Amino acid sequence: MAFINYASKEINCKIVYYGPGLGGKTTNLQFIYNKTSPEARGKMISLATETDRTLFFDFLPLDLGTIRGFTTRFHLYTVPGQVFYDASRKLILKGVDGVIFVADSQEERMEANIESIRNLEDNLEENGFDLKSIPYALQFNKRDLPNVLQVDEMYRVLNFKREPTFEGIATSGKGVFDTLKSVAKQILIELRKR
Amino acid sequence: MRSHDFVLYEDGLYRLEEALRRLRLDANAKAVFLVDKNGQQIAAAGEVEQFDVTSLASLTAGNVAATDGLAKLIGEREFSVLFHEGKQDHIHISIVAKRAILVVIFDDRSSLGLTRLRVRQASGDLEKIFESMAKQAEQGTMANTDSSPFSEITDEDIDALFSE
């Protein structure tokens, strides 16, 4: 649900990073935070456990610049990936404009990826959205690890609707901005259609 | 424009800010914020410059969403008021017009009782403003479906955002 403020000439949109636990959602946000100028970003908030696992969400507000005189602001959120935090994941999807799914490329995490996409589909539906139509991109993260599956194999199993798909190494930033841009573009194109 | 996009026009913002300014004075509060349930700040009044309003909006919405979840778990529809008491500053949070969150930050120059009373009074005014804003948006949509400036966004405009 985009928030269009004609008074201050701002468009605010919400992007949620989804995916299994320890897949790199928070690392995506941390990379964006570190590589963005302080004028373009707000404070990054992480509600995490003492062992740095996401407990509720991470949040990063980001200004992309102006479009037709409107400041375009994206609010990036991550969900907690661990299975038992499902209630929190549902809450964070409220009012979402676009989703980035961060898949873990390690072979042993494929089941967790598949389960998490199913969970995303269900939780979107509970919030009145449809994965088939919402702006969406897929990132195969951790491509630098030794035990990763082939990209085409992952694509075959995880790609839902021929959404834009990117290889990523969130720790070094590979694919991080490409994935974000892809969903941001889809959201703006949706806005144009309305 | 999707019907559930939240659109705020200048006139609506002015009226909301006016109501918040009144509430802030009546409640003797430090600052008053109105936040969308999805975590976007709508309007504010008072000593707002000392707060990180974007973070405040996001955390407030998260707080309300989590509390809503708790309410449902025990069979309540919602907990309409939340109160956080600090050593010096306190936060009073309430739901207005079902979709907005009213946040009042106050210190010992005010009190919880006074804040609750004034919030109750202001909530009625805010609800009326939201209702008239909704009507206005509906009429606007019916009168001219092409009025959105975003319908003219080009691919170049979008690409330009990402070129820097």
Side-chain angles (χ1 to χ4, degrees):
Chain A
M1 191 193 85
F3 174 26
I4 303 163
N5 190 335
Y6 282 86
S8 59
K9 293 223 154 205
E10 283 176 8
I11 320 168
N12 289 299
C13 303
K14 177 174 180 178
I15 295 176
V16 173
Y17 283 74
Y18 213 91
L22 293 176
K25 301 175 290 295
T26 301
T27 312
N28 263 266
L29 246 66
Q30 277 164 343
F31 185 82
I32 294 165
Y33 179 84
N34 290 333
K35 289 291 166 187
T36 313
S37 70
E39 303 83 54
R41 56 157 158 86
K43 197 173 160 192
M44 178 164 166
I45 292 171
S46 288
L47 303 180
T49 65
E50 284 178 359
T51 52
D52 268 345
R53 302 293 304 269
T54 303
L55 176 64
F56 194 6
F57 59 76
D58 305 299
F59 168 69
L60 174 61
L62 200 65
D63 279 353
L64 279 190
T66 56
I67 192 163
R68 298 270 152 171
F70 278 74
T71 301
T72 314
R73 184 167 296 144
F74 285 88
H75 286 183
L76 312 183
Y77 285 83
T78 66
V79 297
Q82 294 178 86
V83 175
F84 52 88
Y85 289 133
D86 197 40
S88 302
R89 279 193 293 277
K90 272 180 210 163
L91 298 177
I92 292 152
L93 284 174
K94 266 170 110 173
V96 67
D97 293 292
V99 177
I100 290 170
F101 189 90
V102 181
D104 190 328
S105 296
Q106 298 176 94
E107 197 170 353
E108 65 270 24
R109 296 298 288 159
M110 272 310 268
E111 274 307 312
N113 289 329
I114 295 166
E115 181 53 39
S116 184
I117 289 181
R118 278 200 202 117
N119 177 255
L120 168 64
E121 204 181 355
D122 290 346
N123 284 344
L124 279 173
E125 203 180 315
E126 278 201 35
N127 278 289
F129 300 105
D130 187 349
L131 184 56
K132 290 190 194 90
S133 54
I134 198 162
Y136 180 59
L138 178 60
Q139 183 186 94
F140 298 152
N141 193 26
K142 305 195 182 183
R143 297 309 300 170
D144 54 331
L145 295 188
N147 52 339
V148 295
L149 273 180
Q150 293 291 318
V151 169
D152 46 354
E153 169 69 4
M154 287 190 76
Y155 188 91
R156 195 179 59 74
V157 178
L158 299 180
N159 194 279
F160 186 80
K161 52 174 185 181
R162 295 188 180 173
E163 66 272 13
T165 303
F166 302 88
E167 289 183 50
I169 305 171
T171 45
S172 69
K174 187 188 172 201
V176 169
F177 276 100
D178 291 338
T179 320
L180 172 63
K181 283 174 190 175
S182 164
V183 164
K185 271 189 185 184
Q186 292 176 54
I187 292 171
L188 293 170
I189 290 166
E190 272 299 305
L191 208 60
R192 179 170 69 183
K193 285 187 202 157
R194 291 175 203 161
Chain B
M1 209 162 295
R2 278 190 309 189
S3 58
H4 50 273
D5 278 339
F6 182 43
V7 181
L8 184 63
Y9 296 100
E10 217 151 306
D11 169 56
L13 178 66
Y14 177 77
R15 283 187 290 158
L16 290 172
E17 282 179 342
E18 191 55 43
L20 295 189
R21 269 196 291 272
R22 217 165 32 236
L23 168 61
R24 191 240 166 175
L25 285 174
D26 290 348
N28 213 10
K30 282 176 98 169
V32 181
F33 298 90
L34 200 55
V35 174
D36 179 50
K37 267 194 168 179
N38 297 320
Q40 326 264 17
Q41 194 218 318
I42 301 171
E47 301 165 24
V48 289
E49 61 290 331
Q50 63 172 287
F51 300 103
D52 174 351
V53 288
T54 310
S55 300
L56 189 131
S58 158
L59 286 173
T60 306
N63 193 350
V64 167
T67 312
D68 264 2
L70 278 177
K72 288 190 179 77
L73 277 182
I74 64 159
E76 278 291 327
R77 201 168 57 85
E78 66 176 14
F79 295 127
S80 54
V81 174
L82 306 176
F83 175 60
H84 300 300
E85 187 175 1
K87 263 191 182 159
Q88 287 163 353
D89 290 339
H90 323 292
I91 303 185
H92 184 281
I93 298 172
S94 57
I95 311 291
V96 178
K98 289 185 186 151
R99 68 177 307 170
I101 303 165
L102 179 60
V103 184
V104 180
I105 301 178
F106 64 94
D107 57 18
D108 292 340
R109 287 174 290 179
S110 182
S111 68
L112 177 58
L114 178 66
T115 303
R116 287 189 80 142
L117 175 71
R118 298 306 189 201
V119 162
R120 207 173 304 148
Q121 290 164 341
S123 294
D125 296 342
L126 289 166
E127 248 166 68
K128 279 182 204 145
I129 298 170
F130 274 116
E131 269 171 36
S132 86
M133 279 166 59
K135 268 187 204 154
Q136 199 184 6
E138 214 170 279
Q139 283 163 357
T141 311
M142 276 160 38
N144 184 2
T145 50
D146 291 329
S147 62
S148 163
F150 310 112
S151 58
E152 289 165 17
I153 292 177
T154 62
D155 288 346
E156 288 74 32
D157 286 336
I158 295 173
D159 286 337
L161 269 189
F162 299 103
S163 60
E164 292 136 32

PDB file of all heavy atoms in Angstrom, chain A residues 107-136:
ATOM      1  N   GLU A 107      22.929 -26.423  -0.705  1.00  0.00           N
ATOM      2  CA  GLU A 107      22.091 -27.579  -1.035  1.00  0.00           C
ATOM      3  C   GLU A 107      21.178 -27.986   0.127  1.00  0.00           C
ATOM      4  O   GLU A 107      19.983 -28.228  -0.050  1.00  0.00           O
ATOM      5  CB  GLU A 107      23.009 -28.748  -1.408  1.00  0.00           C
ATOM      6  CG  GLU A 107      22.300 -29.837  -2.136  1.00  0.00           C
ATOM      7  CD  GLU A 107      23.285 -30.865  -2.691  1.00  0.00           C
ATOM      8  OE1 GLU A 107      24.510 -30.641  -2.603  1.00  0.00           O
ATOM      9  OE2 GLU A 107      22.802 -31.888  -3.198  1.00  0.00           O
ATOM     10  N   GLU A 108      21.754 -27.996   1.326  1.00  0.00           N
ATOM     11  CA  GLU A 108      20.970 -28.477   2.476  1.00  0.00           C
ATOM     12  C   GLU A 108      19.883 -27.492   2.906  1.00  0.00           C
ATOM     13  O   GLU A 108      19.089 -27.800   3.780  1.00  0.00           O
ATOM     14  CB  GLU A 108      21.906 -28.799   3.656  1.00  0.00           C
ATOM     15  CG  GLU A 108      22.648 -27.620   4.256  1.00  0.00           C
ATOM     16  CD  GLU A 108      24.000 -27.366   3.590  1.00  0.00           C
ATOM     17  OE1 GLU A 108      24.187 -27.761   2.428  1.00  0.00           O
ATOM     18  OE2 GLU A 108      24.869 -26.756   4.245  1.00  0.00           O
ATOM     19  N   ARG A 109      19.841 -26.296   2.297  1.00  0.00           N
ATOM     20  CA  ARG A 109      18.826 -25.325   2.673  1.00  0.00           C
ATOM     21  C   ARG A 109      17.678 -25.254   1.658  1.00  0.00           C
ATOM     22  O   ARG A 109      16.776 -24.412   1.790  1.00  0.00           O
ATOM     23  CB  ARG A 109      19.447 -23.926   2.830  1.00  0.00           C
ATOM     24  CG  ARG A 109      20.459 -23.830   3.944  1.00  0.00           C
ATOM     25  CD  ARG A 109      19.867 -24.118   5.311  1.00  0.00           C
ATOM     26  NE  ARG A 109      19.005 -23.036   5.782  1.00  0.00           N
ATOM     27  CZ  ARG A 109      18.077 -23.168   6.717  1.00  0.00           C
ATOM     28  NH1 ARG A 109      17.857 -24.353   7.273  1.00  0.00           N
ATOM     29  NH2 ARG A 109      17.342 -22.145   7.100  1.00  0.00           N
ATOM     30  N   MET A 110      17.708 -26.136   0.659  1.00  0.00           N
ATOM     31  CA  MET A 110      16.652 -26.070  -0.361  1.00  0.00           C
ATOM     32  C   MET A 110      15.264 -26.317   0.217  1.00  0.00           C
ATOM     33  O   MET A 110      14.303 -25.645  -0.137  1.00  0.00           O
ATOM     34  CB  MET A 110      16.943 -27.061  -1.498  1.00  0.00           C
ATOM     35  CG  MET A 110      17.800 -26.482  -2.596  1.00  0.00           C
ATOM     36  SD  MET A 110      17.205 -24.897  -3.203  1.00  0.00           S
ATOM     37  CE  MET A 110      16.189 -25.465  -4.549  1.00  0.00           C
ATOM     38  N   GLU A 111      15.159 -27.310   1.092  1.00  0.00           N
ATOM     39  CA  GLU A 111      13.859 -27.582   1.708  1.00  0.00           C
ATOM     40  C   GLU A 111      13.341 -26.346   2.445  1.00  0.00           C
ATOM     41  O   GLU A 111      12.161 -26.005   2.372  1.00  0.00           O
ATOM     42  CB  GLU A 111      13.963 -28.760   2.688  1.00  0.00           C
ATOM     43  CG  GLU A 111      13.806 -30.125   2.039  1.00  0.00           C
ATOM     44  CD  GLU A 111      12.531 -30.256   1.203  1.00  0.00           C
ATOM     45  OE1 GLU A 111      11.460 -29.878   1.704  1.00  0.00           O
ATOM     46  OE2 GLU A 111      12.624 -30.706   0.042  1.00  0.00           O
ATOM     47  N   ALA A 112      14.268 -25.693   3.155  1.00  0.00           N
ATOM     48  CA  ALA A 112      13.886 -24.488   3.912  1.00  0.00           C
ATOM     49  C   ALA A 112      13.439 -23.378   2.957  1.00  0.00           C
ATOM     50  O   ALA A 112      12.490 -22.641   3.239  1.00  0.00           O
ATOM     51  CB  ALA A 112      15.059 -24.018   4.759  1.00  0.00           C
ATOM     52  N   ASN A 113      14.114 -23.266   1.798  1.00  0.00           N
ATOM     53  CA  ASN A 113      13.704 -22.258   0.798  1.00  0.00           C
ATOM     54  C   ASN A 113      12.284 -22.524   0.314  1.00  0.00           C
ATOM     55  O   ASN A 113      11.452 -21.614   0.239  1.00  0.00           O
ATOM     56  CB  ASN A 113      14.640 -22.301  -0.415  1.00  0.00           C
ATOM     57  CG  ASN A 113      16.032 -21.771  -0.112  1.00  0.00           C
ATOM     58  OD1 ASN A 113      16.195 -20.886   0.724  1.00  0.00           O
ATOM     59  ND2 ASN A 113      17.034 -22.317  -0.789  1.00  0.00           N
ATOM     60  N   ILE A 114      12.046 -23.787  -0.042  1.00  0.00           N
ATOM     61  CA  ILE A 114      10.734 -24.152  -0.590  1.00  0.00           C
ATOM     62  C   ILE A 114       9.638 -23.891   0.448  1.00  0.00           C
ATOM     63  O   ILE A 114       8.606 -23.286   0.163  1.00  0.00           O
ATOM     64  CB  ILE A 114      10.736 -25.651  -1.023  1.00  0.00           C
ATOM     65  CG1 ILE A 114      11.715 -25.846  -2.174  1.00  0.00           C
ATOM     66  CG2 ILE A 114       9.337 -26.107  -1.404  1.00  0.00           C
ATOM     67  CD1 ILE A 114      12.057 -27.309  -2.446  1.00  0.00           C
ATOM     68  N   GLU A 115       9.923 -24.305   1.670  1.00  0.00           N
ATOM     69  CA  GLU A 115       8.955 -24.105   2.762  1.00  0.00           C
ATOM     70  C   GLU A 115       8.680 -22.617   2.973  1.00  0.00           C
ATOM     71  O   GLU A 115       7.546 -22.197   3.173  1.00  0.00           O
ATOM     72  CB  GLU A 115       9.536 -24.744   4.036  1.00  0.00           C
ATOM     73  CG  GLU A 115       8.677 -24.648   5.256  1.00  0.00           C
ATOM     74  CD  GLU A 115       7.259 -25.161   5.042  1.00  0.00           C
ATOM     75  OE1 GLU A 115       7.066 -26.185   4.339  1.00  0.00           O
ATOM     76  OE2 GLU A 115       6.340 -24.509   5.560  1.00  0.00           O
ATOM     77  N   SER A 116       9.725 -21.812   2.857  1.00  0.00           N
ATOM     78  CA  SER A 116       9.574 -20.377   3.105  1.00  0.00           C
ATOM     79  C   SER A 116       8.773 -19.700   1.977  1.00  0.00           C
ATOM     80  O   SER A 116       7.992 -18.772   2.241  1.00  0.00           O
ATOM     81  CB  SER A 116      10.958 -19.738   3.244  1.00  0.00           C
ATOM     82  OG  SER A 116      10.841 -18.393   3.560  1.00  0.00           O
ATOM     83  N   ILE A 117       8.948 -20.154   0.743  1.00  0.00           N
ATOM     84  CA  ILE A 117       8.149 -19.569  -0.352  1.00  0.00           C
ATOM     85  C   ILE A 117       6.673 -19.922  -0.165  1.00  0.00           C
ATOM     86  O   ILE A 117       5.784 -19.085  -0.355  1.00  0.00           O
ATOM     87  CB  ILE A 117       8.660 -20.034  -1.736  1.00  0.00           C
ATOM     88  CG1 ILE A 117      10.013 -19.372  -2.026  1.00  0.00           C
ATOM     89  CG2 ILE A 117       7.669 -19.657  -2.847  1.00  0.00           C
ATOM     90  CD1 ILE A 117      10.622 -19.709  -3.352  1.00  0.00           C
ATOM     91  N   ARG A 118       6.432 -21.162   0.232  1.00  0.00           N
ATOM     92  CA  ARG A 118       5.031 -21.569   0.512  1.00  0.00           C
ATOM     93  C   ARG A 118       4.443 -20.693   1.612  1.00  0.00           C
ATOM     94  O   ARG A 118       3.313 -20.233   1.552  1.00  0.00           O
ATOM     95  CB  ARG A 118       4.990 -23.032   0.959  1.00  0.00           C
ATOM     96  CG  ARG A 118       5.011 -23.979  -0.192  1.00  0.00           C
ATOM     97  CD  ARG A 118       4.490 -25.354   0.237  1.00  0.00           C
ATOM     98  NE  ARG A 118       5.009 -26.337  -0.699  1.00  0.00           N
ATOM     99  CZ  ARG A 118       5.824 -27.325  -0.395  1.00  0.00           C
ATOM    100  NH1 ARG A 118       6.186 -27.524   0.855  1.00  0.00           N
ATOM    101  NH2 ARG A 118       6.254 -28.156  -1.321  1.00  0.00           N
ATOM    102  N   ASN A 119       5.257 -20.484   2.631  1.00  0.00           N
ATOM    103  CA  ASN A 119       4.821 -19.676   3.763  1.00  0.00           C
ATOM    104  C   ASN A 119       4.555 -18.224   3.331  1.00  0.00           C
ATOM    105  O   ASN A 119       3.577 -17.601   3.759  1.00  0.00           O
ATOM    106  CB  ASN A 119       5.911 -19.740   4.839  1.00  0.00           C
ATOM    107  CG  ASN A 119       5.621 -18.879   6.035  1.00  0.00           C
ATOM    108  OD1 ASN A 119       6.217 -17.822   6.202  1.00  0.00           O
ATOM    109  ND2 ASN A 119       4.699 -19.308   6.874  1.00  0.00           N
ATOM    110  N   LEU A 120       5.402 -17.739   2.427  1.00  0.00           N
ATOM    111  CA  LEU A 120       5.210 -16.378   1.896  1.00  0.00           C
ATOM    112  C   LEU A 120       3.872 -16.285   1.160  1.00  0.00           C
ATOM    113  O   LEU A 120       3.103 -15.331   1.344  1.00  0.00           O
ATOM    114  CB  LEU A 120       6.367 -16.027   0.950  1.00  0.00           C
ATOM    115  CG  LEU A 120       6.192 -14.777   0.085  1.00  0.00           C
ATOM    116  CD1 LEU A 120       6.099 -13.515   0.948  1.00  0.00           C
ATOM    117  CD2 LEU A 120       7.352 -14.626  -0.900  1.00  0.00           C
ATOM    118  N   GLU A 121       3.615 -17.270   0.341  1.00  0.00           N
ATOM    119  CA  GLU A 121       2.375 -17.266  -0.436  1.00  0.00           C
ATOM    120  C   GLU A 121       1.158 -17.239   0.509  1.00  0.00           C
ATOM    121  O   GLU A 121       0.227 -16.455   0.312  1.00  0.00           O
ATOM    122  CB  GLU A 121       2.357 -18.532  -1.311  1.00  0.00           C
ATOM    123  CG  GLU A 121       1.491 -18.380  -2.529  1.00  0.00           C
ATOM    124  CD  GLU A 121       1.472 -19.659  -3.365  1.00  0.00           C
ATOM    125  OE1 GLU A 121       2.203 -20.623  -3.052  1.00  0.00           O
ATOM    126  OE2 GLU A 121       0.695 -19.681  -4.336  1.00  0.00           O
ATOM    127  N   ASP A 122       1.199 -18.089   1.534  1.00  0.00           N
ATOM    128  CA  ASP A 122       0.090 -18.141   2.503  1.00  0.00           C
ATOM    129  C   ASP A 122      -0.059 -16.820   3.253  1.00  0.00           C
ATOM    130  O   ASP A 122      -1.157 -16.300   3.408  1.00  0.00           O
ATOM    131  CB  ASP A 122       0.331 -19.244   3.554  1.00  0.00           C
ATOM    132  CG  ASP A 122       0.210 -20.634   2.955  1.00  0.00           C
ATOM    133  OD1 ASP A 122      -0.315 -20.739   1.823  1.00  0.00           O
ATOM    134  OD2 ASP A 122       0.642 -21.604   3.605  1.00  0.00           O
ATOM    135  N   ASN A 123       1.056 -16.292   3.720  1.00  0.00           N
ATOM    136  CA  ASN A 123       0.977 -15.075   4.533  1.00  0.00           C
ATOM    137  C   ASN A 123       0.588 -13.855   3.719  1.00  0.00           C
ATOM    138  O   ASN A 123      -0.085 -12.956   4.218  1.00  0.00           O
ATOM    139  CB  ASN A 123       2.308 -14.837   5.262  1.00  0.00           C
ATOM    140  CG  ASN A 123       2.479 -15.773   6.447  1.00  0.00           C
ATOM    141  OD1 ASN A 123       1.506 -16.376   6.897  1.00  0.00           O
ATOM    142  ND2 ASN A 123       3.690 -15.914   6.927  1.00  0.00           N
ATOM    143  N   LEU A 124       0.997 -13.832   2.443  1.00  0.00           N
ATOM    144  CA  LEU A 124       0.541 -12.743   1.572  1.00  0.00           C
ATOM    145  C   LEU A 124      -0.970 -12.824   1.415  1.00  0.00           C
ATOM    146  O   LEU A 124      -1.680 -11.820   1.507  1.00  0.00           O
ATOM    147  CB  LEU A 124       1.205 -12.837   0.190  1.00  0.00           C
ATOM    148  CG  LEU A 124       2.615 -12.282   0.072  1.00  0.00           C
ATOM    149  CD1 LEU A 124       3.189 -12.601  -1.305  1.00  0.00           C
ATOM    150  CD2 LEU A 124       2.645 -10.767   0.299  1.00  0.00           C
ATOM    151  N   GLU A 125      -1.437 -14.040   1.181  1.00  0.00           N
ATOM    152  CA  GLU A 125      -2.876 -14.236   0.979  1.00  0.00           C
ATOM    153  C   GLU A 125      -3.664 -13.778   2.218  1.00  0.00           C
ATOM    154  O   GLU A 125      -4.687 -13.118   2.088  1.00  0.00           O
ATOM    155  CB  GLU A 125      -3.137 -15.716   0.692  1.00  0.00           C
ATOM    156  CG  GLU A 125      -4.431 -15.946  -0.066  1.00  0.00           C
ATOM    157  CD  GLU A 125      -4.637 -17.420  -0.326  1.00  0.00           C
ATOM    158  OE1 GLU A 125      -3.668 -18.083  -0.730  1.00  0.00           O
ATOM    159  OE2 GLU A 125      -5.761 -17.888  -0.089  1.00  0.00           O
ATOM    160  N   GLU A 126      -3.136 -14.103   3.379  1.00  0.00           N
ATOM    161  CA  GLU A 126      -3.823 -13.677   4.611  1.00  0.00           C
ATOM    162  C   GLU A 126      -3.878 -12.165   4.742  1.00  0.00           C
ATOM    163  O   GLU A 126      -4.730 -11.618   5.416  1.00  0.00           O
ATOM    164  CB  GLU A 126      -3.112 -14.251   5.842  1.00  0.00           C
ATOM    165  CG  GLU A 126      -3.524 -15.676   6.108  1.00  0.00           C
ATOM    166  CD  GLU A 126      -3.254 -16.086   7.548  1.00  0.00           C
ATOM    167  OE1 GLU A 126      -3.389 -15.241   8.448  1.00  0.00           O
ATOM    168  OE2 GLU A 126      -2.897 -17.257   7.734  1.00  0.00           O
ATOM    169  N   ASN A 127      -2.948 -11.488   4.087  1.00  0.00           N
ATOM    170  CA  ASN A 127      -2.939 -10.025   4.118  1.00  0.00           C
ATOM    171  C   ASN A 127      -3.630  -9.416   2.899  1.00  0.00           C
ATOM    172  O   ASN A 127      -3.538  -8.212   2.666  1.00  0.00           O
ATOM    173  CB  ASN A 127      -1.498  -9.506   4.193  1.00  0.00           C
ATOM    174  CG  ASN A 127      -0.958  -9.519   5.617  1.00  0.00           C
ATOM    175  OD1 ASN A 127      -1.373  -8.722   6.440  1.00  0.00           O
ATOM    176  ND2 ASN A 127      -0.058 -10.433   5.904  1.00  0.00           N
ATOM    177  N   GLY A 128      -4.272 -10.272   2.100  1.00  0.00           N
ATOM    178  CA  GLY A 128      -5.019  -9.762   0.947  1.00  0.00           C
ATOM    179  C   GLY A 128      -4.182  -9.561  -0.302  1.00  0.00           C
ATOM    180  O   GLY A 128      -4.594  -8.830  -1.212  1.00  0.00           O
ATOM    181  N   PHE A 129      -3.002 -10.165  -0.365  1.00  0.00           N
ATOM    182  CA  PHE A 129      -2.148 -10.034  -1.550  1.00  0.00           C
ATOM    183  C   PHE A 129      -1.986 -11.390  -2.243  1.00  0.00           C
ATOM    184  O   PHE A 129      -2.251 -12.436  -1.647  1.00  0.00           O
ATOM    185  CB  PHE A 129      -0.757  -9.519  -1.170  1.00  0.00           C
ATOM    186  CG  PHE A 129      -0.764  -8.174  -0.519  1.00  0.00           C
ATOM    187  CD1 PHE A 129      -0.555  -8.045   0.845  1.00  0.00           C
ATOM    188  CD2 PHE A 129      -0.980  -7.024  -1.260  1.00  0.00           C
ATOM    189  CE1 PHE A 129      -0.566  -6.803   1.464  1.00  0.00           C
ATOM    190  CE2 PHE A 129      -0.992  -5.774  -0.659  1.00  0.00           C
ATOM    191  CZ  PHE A 129      -0.789  -5.674   0.702  1.00  0.00           C
ATOM    192  N   ASP A 130      -1.488 -11.319  -3.463  1.00  0.00           N
ATOM    193  CA  ASP A 130      -1.296 -12.547  -4.236  1.00  0.00           C
ATOM    194  C   ASP A 130       0.135 -12.538  -4.783  1.00  0.00           C
ATOM    195  O   ASP A 130       0.536 -11.590  -5.461  1.00  0.00           O
ATOM    196  CB  ASP A 130      -2.317 -12.552  -5.390  1.00  0.00           C
ATOM    197  CG  ASP A 130      -2.295 -13.873  -6.133  1.00  0.00           C
ATOM    198  OD1 ASP A 130      -1.376 -14.689  -5.905  1.00  0.00           O
ATOM    199  OD2 ASP A 130      -3.209 -14.081  -6.958  1.00  0.00           O
ATOM    200  N   LEU A 131       0.878 -13.586  -4.479  1.00  0.00           N
ATOM    201  CA  LEU A 131       2.271 -13.648  -4.953  1.00  0.00           C
ATOM    202  C   LEU A 131       2.339 -13.591  -6.477  1.00  0.00           C
ATOM    203  O   LEU A 131       3.322 -13.107  -7.044  1.00  0.00           O
ATOM    204  CB  LEU A 131       2.951 -14.921  -4.413  1.00  0.00           C
ATOM    205  CG  LEU A 131       4.432 -15.128  -4.722  1.00  0.00           C
ATOM    206  CD1 LEU A 131       5.267 -13.939  -4.249  1.00  0.00           C
ATOM    207  CD2 LEU A 131       4.966 -16.398  -4.087  1.00  0.00           C
ATOM    208  N   LYS A 132       1.267 -14.046  -7.115  1.00  0.00           N
ATOM    209  CA  LYS A 132       1.254 -14.040  -8.589  1.00  0.00           C
ATOM    210  C   LYS A 132       1.285 -12.615  -9.143  1.00  0.00           C
ATOM    211  O   LYS A 132       1.753 -12.393 -10.246  1.00  0.00           O
ATOM    212  CB  LYS A 132      -0.010 -14.746  -9.102  1.00  0.00           C
ATOM    213  CG  LYS A 132      -0.012 -16.237  -8.868  1.00  0.00           C
ATOM    214  CD  LYS A 132      -1.184 -16.878  -9.618  1.00  0.00           C
ATOM    215  CE  LYS A 132      -1.412 -18.291  -9.150  1.00  0.00           C
ATOM    216  NZ  LYS A 132      -2.377 -18.354  -8.017  1.00  0.00           N
ATOM    217  N   SER A 133       0.737 -11.662  -8.407  1.00  0.00           N
ATOM    218  CA  SER A 133       0.627 -10.318  -8.977  1.00  0.00           C
ATOM    219  C   SER A 133       1.475  -9.262  -8.266  1.00  0.00           C
ATOM    220  O   SER A 133       1.677  -8.173  -8.805  1.00  0.00           O
ATOM    221  CB  SER A 133      -0.843  -9.873  -8.986  1.00  0.00           C
ATOM    222  OG  SER A 133      -1.376  -9.994  -7.689  1.00  0.00           O
ATOM    223  N   ILE A 134       1.994  -9.549  -7.103  1.00  0.00           N
ATOM    224  CA  ILE A 134       2.737  -8.511  -6.364  1.00  0.00           C
ATOM    225  C   ILE A 134       4.152  -8.362  -6.955  1.00  0.00           C
ATOM    226  O   ILE A 134       4.735  -9.344  -7.412  1.00  0.00           O
ATOM    227  CB  ILE A 134       2.781  -8.862  -4.854  1.00  0.00           C
ATOM    228  CG1 ILE A 134       3.138  -7.626  -4.026  1.00  0.00           C
ATOM    229  CG2 ILE A 134       3.766  -9.993  -4.555  1.00  0.00           C
ATOM    230  CD1 ILE A 134       2.780  -7.762  -2.563  1.00  0.00           C
ATOM    231  N   PRO A 135       4.702  -7.119  -6.999  1.00  0.00           N
ATOM    232  CA  PRO A 135       6.095  -6.957  -7.418  1.00  0.00           C
ATOM    233  C   PRO A 135       7.022  -7.863  -6.595  1.00  0.00           C
ATOM    234  O   PRO A 135       6.934  -7.877  -5.363  1.00  0.00           O
ATOM    235  CB  PRO A 135       6.362  -5.475  -7.142  1.00  0.00           C
ATOM    236  CG  PRO A 135       5.033  -4.830  -7.328  1.00  0.00           C
ATOM    237  CD  PRO A 135       4.047  -5.816  -6.774  1.00  0.00           C
ATOM    238  N   TYR A 136       7.879  -8.604  -7.301  1.00  0.00           N
ATOM    239  CA  TYR A 136       8.590  -9.693  -6.632  1.00  0.00           C
ATOM    240  C   TYR A 136       9.899  -9.989  -7.346  1.00  0.00           C
ATOM    241  O   TYR A 136       9.950  -9.984  -8.576  1.00  0.00           O
ATOM    242  CB  TYR A 136       7.672 -10.925  -6.652  1.00  0.00           C
ATOM    243  CG  TYR A 136       8.230 -12.183  -6.002  1.00  0.00           C
ATOM    244  CD1 TYR A 136       8.612 -12.182  -4.666  1.00  0.00           C
ATOM    245  CD2 TYR A 136       8.341 -13.372  -6.715  1.00  0.00           C
ATOM    246  CE1 TYR A 136       9.095 -13.342  -4.066  1.00  0.00           C
ATOM    247  CE2 TYR A 136       8.816 -14.534  -6.123  1.00  0.00           C
ATOM    248  CZ  TYR A 136       9.195 -14.507  -4.792  1.00  0.00           C
ATOM    249  OH  TYR A 136       9.673 -15.648  -4.196  1.00  0.00           O
TER     250      TYR A 136
END
